[in-house]
Amino acid sequence: MRSFLKPRPGVASASAVVLALVTALSSGAPAAQAEESKAQGRASAAAWEPWMQFFGPHETVTPDASTLLRDTMLHNCDSEYACLAAGEGDGEHTVFEVTYCKPDDRWVSNFIGDGAVANHQVNDAKVVLMDKNKKPLRTIDAGKIVRVDWDPVYYIDVC
């Protein structure tokens, strides 16, 4: 846990988080689907927005990150943080920097397909990925950067 607090750019205010939650719940957050435009002879993908419940102070979310920015953020994730990258279905990524243990597990939405987790937390804190029944699927030790399959993941515990 942090011994001091420092301001972090890009922190969503509580009202923005509430607005995002209300918007996501009211719109039904459609599942991502890829469709091929045969008439034009090219494929197009329906993009989606990865979302995570509960943000603490000093936690950030960076949407629309290129692959290079995603990789840079994962490798340079701040000490005491876990950084989670989820694709958006259009070649871009959303990167979450999280550190707070409470609530113990965070519900995620639109974490689809391949992604990555960089666990830069201290004191041997683990990141646990869980299924819809909160059964652990995978545990990521501190100091590790790993690729993950987000499809079966519904909850994340960063402690």
Side-chain angles (χ1 to χ4, degrees):
M1 202 47 57
R2 283 192 178 267
S3 58
F4 66 94
L5 299 176
K6 65 179 182 176
R8 300 208 12 116
V11 175
S13 69
S15 60
V17 172
V18 170
L19 177 61
L21 176 59
V22 169
T23 302
L25 291 175
S26 66
S27 68
Q33 298 178 348
E35 62 182 90
E36 185 170 300
S37 175
K38 293 181 181 178
Q40 297 176 350
R42 64 174 195 226
S44 65
W48 58 87
E49 182 178 341
W51 180 83
M52 180 184 301
Q53 179 188 37
F54 300 122
F55 274 94
H58 312 289
E59 293 185 331
T60 63
V61 58
T62 304
D64 304 324
S66 67
T67 300
L68 178 61
L69 178 57
R70 176 208 59 195
D71 291 348
T72 300
M73 292 180 74
L74 288 170
H75 285 90
N76 295 306
C77 185
D78 281 346
S79 176
E80 300 185 19
Y81 282 80
C83 291
L84 305 105
E88 297 174 357
D90 59 1
E92 294 186 333
H93 314 272
T94 298
V95 180
F96 299 85
E97 291 180 283
V98 295
T99 189
Y100 290 97
C101 295
K102 299 297 179 193
D104 289 333
D105 42 312
R106 302 161 187 246
W107 177 71
V108 297
S109 176
N110 287 332
F111 275 50
I112 300 170
D114 293 335
V117 174
N119 186 2
H120 290 218
Q121 297 180 99
V122 295
N123 299 328
D124 202 32
K126 310 217 184 286
V127 173
V128 180
L129 308 179
M130 295 171 277
D131 69 10
K132 62 184 174 183
N133 298 312
K134 296 189 178 180
K135 177 184 172 192
L137 297 167
R138 186 169 185 182
T139 300
I140 301 156
D141 293 327
K144 302 287 184 184
I145 300 175
V146 298
R147 293 189 58 79
V148 298
D149 174 12
W150 289 123
D151 290 338
V153 177
Y154 283 74
Y155 299 94
I156 298 172
D157 182 358
V158 295
C159 301

